[in-house]
Structures are given as C-alpha cells and as structure tokens.
Amino acid sequence: MGRAYYSSRISNFLTQDVDYILGHLLIQDEFQTTDLQKNAWKFEIALLQEKLHPFSDGDIAFEYTIPRLGHRIDVVCIIKGVIFVLEFKIGSREHKRSTIDQVMDYVLDLKYFHQKSENRYIVPIDVSTEAPDVENQIIAMDDCILHPLLSNANTLARDISSVLEQISDTCLNIDEWINSRYSPTPTIIEAAQTLYRNHSVVDISRNDAGAQNLTSTTKAISAIIDNCKEKHKKAICFVTGVPGAGKTLAGLNIANERHKFEADEHAVFLSGNGPLVDVLQTALAKDKSQRDGITLDAAKRETKAFIQIIHKFRDEALATNEAPIEKVAIFDEAQRAWDADSLSNFMSRKKGVHNFNQSEPDFLISIMDRHKDWAVIICLVGGGQEIYTGEAGISDWFKALHNKYKDWDIYLSDKMSDSEYIGSSTISELLSGRPFSVIPSLHLGVSLRSFRSEKLSAFVKTLLDNKPDEAYKVYSELKYTYPIYMTRNFEAAKKWVKSKSRGNERYGLLASSEGKRLRGIGIWVPTEINHVGWFLNDKEHVDSSFFLEVAASEFKVQGLEIDYGILAWDADLRYVNNEFDFFRFRGSRWTHINVEQRQRYLKNAYRVLLTRARQGLVIFVPEGADPEEDMTRSRLLYDEIFNYFKKCGIVELDASDQ
C-alpha cells in the first residue's frame, strides 16, 4: 500500500469516472470502509471535479498517510509548486477551531518532517462545505506556511486562485512528493500510539541513522530473546543511549513486538514513572477506543497489560510465589530503581512486610527468575536523571547479579562502562569477575528528541555545570534553530508561547517541585496535579497545560514532552558567588541543602525541566521583592540568576522581536 490511496494529474482526475476513483480508494483502504466514508469520498470527488478545472496543470492525491499522527490528509493538491492541504467537513455549517487546528497539524507535520515539503509554500484549507463565505487574507508566515484559509463548497476554487495570484513555486511532481523521505520525531505519546497501531520504528524515526540505530538495537534484543526461548536460558540486557536517543521508544517497540500471549512470550513495559505510565495508558486507550469502536474501559484493560507501573508489578509478586505471565520484562530508567534501604523502608511502612532486605533490582530479577524455562529482562539505562531520594543508580543491578542469579547471561552495551552510568567503578569490579557479553548495538547513539536542534542537551549541561563561556558558544548556534529566551514578565512569557504555538502544538508552565516561593507571584506548584489531563486535554479544558494555570514539576513531566514551555525559576537553585547553590523552602524560610546527593537531585530536576520543550522555551525569572518586605523573595536572589543567564548568552524576551 502506498502512502496515498489515489494520486493523479488533475487533468486526468477531471475526466475519470467517480466510481473508478472511488474504487481505487476502497481497494487501498486497510479498514472496513463505512457507508459514511464512501459517501464522503463521492462528495469530495464530485466537488473537486467541478471546482479544479482552472488548475488542470496541477496534481492531486487523496488520503495521504501521516504515521506520526495516525491520520490521513483528505486531499493534497500541488498547483504551480504550491502545496494545498484540504480537510473536508461535509455538511458542516461552521468553521470549527478543532478543524482548523487539525489541518494546521497536518501542514506542520509536512513542514517539519517531509523532505519535499520543508522549503515549499504550504496552504492549509478548512473546507466546511455549508459554512458561510469568508474573505480570507493571504498571509504567509516566516516558514512559508500560510494562515489557514476558511472555504466552503462554493468558495474553494476562488480561494485557491487568490493564493496563486500572489504565490508560486518551482515545479513539483506528485509522485516525487508522495515518495519523499518522511522523517518524523514523535513525542513519546505519539510514538506509543503509532507503534500500537502496528507501525514500525522506521515509520516514526527522525532520520535514517536514527531508524537504523533503533532497528539494530531491536534486532539485537530480539536475537537474545529468541536464543533464550530456543535454548531455555535466562538473560539480562543493559541498553544505554545518548539523551533523547529513544531508549523508551526502543523498549515500547520490543514490548509491542513481543506482546504475544498465544506464543507464550508475553512482554510488558514497566516504568517507575507514574505520570508517564498514566498518560501513556490513557493515550493508548483513547486511541484504541476511537479506532476499534470499543468502550474506553475495555481499551484501558488491554493497554494496562502492555504498559504497567513497576510498583504494581512488584506488589503483585509479593502476593504469590508463582512466576508472572510475562516472559519478557522491559524496565525503563532502570538506574532509578530503589536501593535496599529505601525499598525495605517502603515495604515496612506501606505494605506491612517486615525484614525485607532486597534492593528493587534484586527483587525484580528474583521475580523473573521464578520462570523454570526461560526469561529475559531488558534494562533501559539513562544517565543524570535521578531525581528521587533512594534511587540506586545502576550498581545495585550488578551487585544483585554478582551475589545471585549465576545462571543468567549478561549482555551490555559498549558504553555501559562510561562514568555517567557506573561512576568511578569498572564493570569487572561491579560483577566481581562474572562473565558478560558486550554488544555495541545495545547503545543508541543518535539523538531523536528535538528536531529543532541537537545542541539543546549540550547547552543545558554547560549551563548547569557553571560554564557560562561554553554555554554562550553553544547558545550562539542553538538560538537559530531552538529559541530560548528569558524574561522578568510572566505575561510576556505567556504571550510568547501562545504566539508560537500553531494547530495543536502544546505549551505549558513548568517549575521545580521546590519552587515554593513562586506562590508569592501567583504561581502554585502543587504536589498533585491531573497530569493525564495536563498532557492530553484540549485547549478548552481548564485542566490542560494550555491554560498556563497549573505548573507541572519535574516529577510530572519526566519522560514526557510539550512543544513550547515556560520554566518559572525560583530561588531553590540560585547563583551565589559565581556558583550554583542549593536550597529548599521549609516552614517560613529557605534552608541550605548540604547533602551532595540531594544537591544532585535538585540539579537534575532543572535538567529535566530545561529539556521538556521540543520547539522552544522561555525562562521566567521573577523580579523578586525588597528584602525588607519579603526576605524569602529577595530581589538579589533572582537578579543573580538572571545575570548568570545573561553571561550564558540567553536573550531577554522583552528586548527581542516577538
């Protein structure tokens, strides 16, 4: 099946029988076509055959597939080199905001990720067939995307002509356009949905190198699973990756491929990140409910078997000595598993289980070790992401393997020995001489996260490592592809993210969980928020991120993304005497954080917050107050951090061209 259900020169399209074209669409449709869809296609074909006569030298395509979004564009016309994207709403008497956002999402996807579209004029058109006439203004934005045109059955040809009177481009053949390289960078929510619809990582990978990297890693893990299954062995794999390389995506891909009850190899994706699991479960369930026509509850039951919170998997194992149904367990962010003291304390306080003396890695391996024939554990390992007290890092996994589980084979990426994963130790020391196999393809070395810039992680690292000169150099290159601004004016920050967002591009307010004195200017950082609604609800819902009323902390956004962000920076991570210092607010005053590990948690919290926005960020630093009025919000505290950002090159929003 091609990317488009039907494509042709418009001159040919105008002379073909409606039923002939409809037949092509029906043959290509991978789903059971409803009568409603058939009638819609008939209407579109007839209308376009009537209206496109002035543009017979152009090309047309129906139902162009966009895997990343899980949708198909109704109609694409390429006329005089200009790409027209048409979204039809048959019988609609109004131009709904949701339709305008939908067609703009398609256009943005083409502009960002479709090679033959990226340097072209692209025109989004909402064709609500019975809506009132609108006098459209032909306005092209900086990236050659036009403001959406609002058309109906009568004005469509007029509106296309109006564009072509002002804009044209070099010739572009429809077949060349359809077969162009499509290189998306999905959010983790979009990626999970796309994989769950039986697409492959190749369909949703940003570039050839990224797709090859993910495919190579998947093949390596699959080979290990197949070997264990065939030879009745047990194995544990450690997968590493550069920031944004798609470790979670690789894990979801394996879970999806090995989600086979009938083959006795059911796989599950496990994460200790509660908000991530909640959001992914709900997003998958909503998508499946809409596609399959089943209830949301029924869809949730299925998706909860595919993605689970690690604590529930662990707690279920406490109630029985039986092996779990899963033969393949993928642990996301494995370095964040709890150490023995933290887990023992939790078990005693919350579960009434006393004398529990295992670390979480030890206990999790023991659960999978209950299988008599074979089992595989895949540990997805990140560096510099620990933000919770009691997170052990990767060493406790190796300690458990050294002390027990002698029959488990160990497979490591060739980067596992790097200091960001195991500190100053060596693999041999941690495993005390136990044999292991090194497989280079278990490392994901190509970043996929930000299609705007590869340099964001480097900038954040130099900024937080107090290297302003290096940060300045990186920022001087970064600012052209990934805008980062700062401001002392919260309203200006809100105006900026709203002005940048188009279609359903999501924006939101971020803040550190320790940012307690932001409350003094009306920004509350609650411990609990409706994180599912924050990430998934639309613009009309007050619980959504779009309202910029609820600040999400590092605990709610780790592993998830928005398009544009406002990061409200409080005095918990402040800049004093030319270095960062660490505080938390308790009672009525700031208290210094003396424990090095807790300082690292706070620094990592801001690392997470600084890297959540895919397309741009504005850092809001409050003005503060006179010390005599409020010492906890002293202007000096905020001035110092603002001045440090200036040294790093960050441009002030209020002084820039918005």
Side-chain angles (χ1 to χ4, degrees):
M1 186 182 67
R3 283 188 185 162
Y5 283 10
Y6 167 91
S7 63
S8 174
R9 296 286 294 165
I10 291 177
S11 57
N12 294 332
F13 166 76
L14 294 173
T15 62
Q16 289 173 335
D17 185 76
V18 171
D19 287 336
Y20 173 82
I21 300 170
L22 180 62
H24 268 271
L25 297 173
L26 292 172
I27 289 170
Q28 291 295 322
D29 192 4
E30 60 185 308
F31 304 105
Q32 185 175 354
T33 311
T34 64
D35 289 339
L36 185 65
Q37 180 63 73
K38 290 176 189 175
N39 291 332
W41 279 337
K42 280 185 176 180
F43 185 95
E44 292 169 17
I45 295 165
L47 176 64
L48 290 168
Q49 284 185 333
E50 176 187 341
K51 300 297 181 182
L52 293 183
H53 280 279
F55 318 110
S56 60
D57 196 36
D59 295 292
I60 188 169
F62 281 76
E63 302 295 330
Y64 179 81
T65 303
I66 299 181
R68 187 183 80 96
L69 299 177
H71 294 289
R72 299 189 304 270
I73 301 174
D74 285 346
V75 176
V76 174
C77 293
I78 301 177
I79 307 169
K80 293 186 177 179
V82 178
I83 301 168
F84 294 86
V85 176
L86 282 58
E87 176 63 24
F88 282 89
K89 296 300 176 186
I90 310 300
S92 178
R93 297 180 178 276
E94 61 177 318
H95 294 287
K96 294 182 179 179
R97 181 75 252 173
S98 59
T99 305
I100 298 169
D101 286 342
Q102 181 182 358
V103 70
M104 180 57 84
D105 285 343
Y106 296 159
V107 167
L108 291 169
D109 196 272
L110 294 175
K111 174 61 67 173
Y112 295 151
F113 309 124
H114 189 264
Q115 191 175 54
K116 290 296 182 181
S117 300
E118 61 185 1
N119 296 316
R120 294 276 172 174
Y121 283 104
I122 312 181
V123 186
I125 306 181
D126 165 11
V127 189
S128 294
T129 58
E130 304 300 322
D133 293 1
V134 174
E135 289 295 327
N136 291 294
Q137 300 294 313
I138 310 302
I139 302 172
M141 292 171 266
D142 291 343
D143 55 6
C144 296
I145 293 175
L146 270 69
H147 280 276
L149 303 185
L150 309 181
S151 299
N152 59 36
N154 296 319
T155 63
L156 177 58
R158 179 203 70 184
D159 292 331
I160 293 175
S161 293
S162 297
V163 172
L164 296 174
E165 287 171 4
Q166 299 185 37
I167 293 171
S168 64
D169 213 326
T170 56
C171 290
L172 176 61
N173 175 270
I174 191 71
D175 291 329
E176 186 181 343
W177 182 84
I178 287 173
N179 295 311
S180 168
R181 196 176 85 174
Y182 176 67
S183 305
T185 306
T187 68
I188 194 61
I189 296 170
E190 293 165 343
Q193 290 173 329
T194 306
L195 289 173
Y196 209 56
R197 297 184 204 113
N198 295 317
H199 288 276
S200 73
V201 290
V202 176
D203 294 326
I204 56 174
S205 297
R206 176 168 171 261
N207 54 46
D208 290 341
Q212 290 168 7
N213 201 191
L214 279 165
T215 302
S216 175
T217 300
T218 300
K219 284 182 177 178
I221 295 171
S222 289
I224 292 168
I225 294 172
D226 290 337
N227 181 63
C228 288
K229 187 177 180 181
E230 178 186 346
K231 297 182 179 179
H232 304 286
K233 302 181 74 174
K234 297 172 184 175
I236 185 167
C237 314
F238 292 88
V239 178
T240 58
V242 299
K247 295 183 293 295
T248 300
L249 178 56
L252 289 170
N253 190 39
I254 286 290
N256 190 54
E257 286 192 356
R258 296 286 176 168
H259 194 59
K260 303 170 184 174
F261 284 100
E262 70 281 0
D264 189 31
E265 60 168 73
H266 178 44
V268 64
F269 180 89
L270 297 165
S271 174
N273 185 339
L276 174 69
V277 172
D278 291 341
V279 170
L280 288 182
Q281 284 180 345
T282 304
L284 289 179
K286 283 184 175 181
D287 192 53
K288 184 172 182 61
S289 173
Q290 292 169 359
R291 286 186 295 111
D292 295 353
I294 62 176
T295 66
L296 187 60
D297 286 342
K300 277 186 177 179
R301 281 193 293 273
E302 183 172 326
T303 59
K304 284 182 178 179
F306 173 59
I307 297 175
Q308 295 178 25
I309 186 73
I310 199 169
H311 308 312
K312 291 189 177 180
F313 177 83
R314 183 192 65 203
D315 294 347
E316 185 177 334
L318 283 171
T320 178
N321 291 321
E322 295 294 317
I325 190 172
E326 297 86 4
K327 291 290 186 67
V328 179
I330 300 108
F331 295 118
D332 194 28
E333 299 291 355
Q335 80 284 353
R336 297 183 57 196
W338 288 356
D339 59 27
D341 289 343
S342 297
L343 185 57
S344 298
N345 182 270
F346 175 83
M347 290 295 192
S348 177
R349 287 185 299 106
K350 298 293 186 180
K351 303 297 177 182
V353 180
H354 303 292
N355 300 318
F356 191 93
N357 59 358
Q358 289 178 276
S359 68
E360 192 166 36
D362 186 2
F363 188 46
L364 292 172
I365 299 173
S366 74
I367 296 170
M368 296 301 290
D369 194 48
R370 295 174 185 176
H371 286 290
K372 301 302 182 186
D373 48 358
W374 69 278
V376 175
I377 293 173
I378 297 129
C379 293
L380 309 175
V381 185
Q385 295 290 304
E386 299 91 345
I387 58 176
Y388 284 94
T389 301
E391 292 179 346
I394 208 64
S395 60
D396 273 15
W397 288 93
F398 289 139
K399 189 183 298 182
L401 289 166
H402 158 55
N403 293 330
K404 307 175 185 178
Y405 318 112
K406 302 296 185 180
D407 59 334
W408 281 67
D409 293 337
I410 302 170
Y411 296 91
L412 309 176
S413 100
D414 60 340
K415 302 297 182 185
M416 196 68 235
S417 58
D418 289 1
S419 61
E420 65 180 297
Y421 301 114
I422 60 172
S424 58
S425 301
T426 67
I427 299 292
S428 295
E429 288 172 350
L430 291 171
L431 289 174
S432 295
R434 269 199 64 176
F436 58 89
S437 299
V438 174
I439 301 179
S441 54
L442 292 180
H443 178 70
L444 291 161
V446 181
S447 179
L448 301 174
R449 174 172 292 157
S450 175
F451 59 88
R452 288 291 194 188
S453 177
E454 303 287 351
K455 296 184 178 295
L456 177 60
S457 294
F459 174 71
V460 170
K461 186 178 190 310
T462 54
L463 183 144
L464 291 176
D465 286 350
N466 192 23
K467 298 177 179 178
D469 292 340
E470 291 183 33
Y472 189 98
K473 291 177 183 177
V474 179
Y475 181 84
S476 64
E477 299 177 42
L478 174 68
K479 65 183 179 181
Y480 296 110
T481 53
Y482 183 95
I484 299 180
Y485 290 102
M486 61 180 182
T487 183
R488 314 299 292 268
N489 185 324
F490 188 41
E491 292 304 315
K494 291 195 286 188
K495 180 180 177 183
W496 185 80
V497 293
K498 289 178 180 179
S499 70
K500 290 296 179 185
S501 170
R502 294 176 291 185
N504 285 302
E505 290 178 329
R506 184 170 290 273
Y507 50 83
L509 175 61
L510 309 167
S512 160
S513 59
E514 293 292 348
K516 307 297 186 184
R517 292 310 295 139
L518 294 170
R519 187 174 62 174
I521 52 170
I523 297 177
W524 180 252
V525 190
T527 303
E528 293 300 327
I529 68 172
N530 176 7
H531 46 267
V532 172
W534 198 90
F535 276 103
L536 298 182
N537 285 341
D538 58 28
K539 294 177 180 177
E540 284 70 42
H541 202 294
V542 295
D543 278 350
S544 76
S545 65
F546 291 112
F547 267 71
L548 299 174
E549 292 182 355
V550 177
S553 74
E554 67 277 12
F555 298 126
K556 303 303 180 184
V557 300
Q558 188 174 42
L560 294 160
E561 299 160 308
I562 54 179
D563 288 292
Y564 293 96
I566 301 172
L567 171 53
W569 199 292
D570 205 1
D572 52 336
L573 185 59
R574 62 185 68 169
Y575 198 71
V576 181
N577 296 325
N578 293 318
E579 62 182 9
F580 281 108
D581 208 352
F582 308 86
F583 288 79
R584 58 183 179 176
F585 196 81
R586 295 294 182 267
S588 59
R589 63 190 182 89
W590 291 105
T591 60
H592 190 260
I593 298 174
N594 296 310
V595 179
E596 183 179 350
Q597 187 180 43
R598 291 183 180 275
Q599 292 179 354
R600 187 167 67 251
Y601 290 153
L602 181 56
K603 184 176 178 180
N604 284 342
Y606 273 92
R607 190 189 316 279
V608 168
L609 295 168
L610 283 162
T611 54
R612 288 312 92 192
R614 285 157 54 87
Q615 300 198 54
L617 179 72
V618 57
I619 302 172
F620 165 60
V621 182
E623 290 281 3
D626 290 331
E628 297 80 10
E629 176 189 338
D630 185 354
M631 273 296 297
T632 66
R633 293 193 301 114
S634 171
R635 182 174 287 111
L636 295 175
L637 299 176
Y638 299 99
D639 285 350
E640 287 299 312
I641 191 67
F642 193 76
N643 290 333
Y644 171 71
F645 291 156
K646 278 186 177 179
K647 289 181 183 178
C648 294
I650 303 178
V651 176
E652 189 171 357
L653 180 65
D654 302 335
S656 68
D657 180 12
Q658 297 183 48

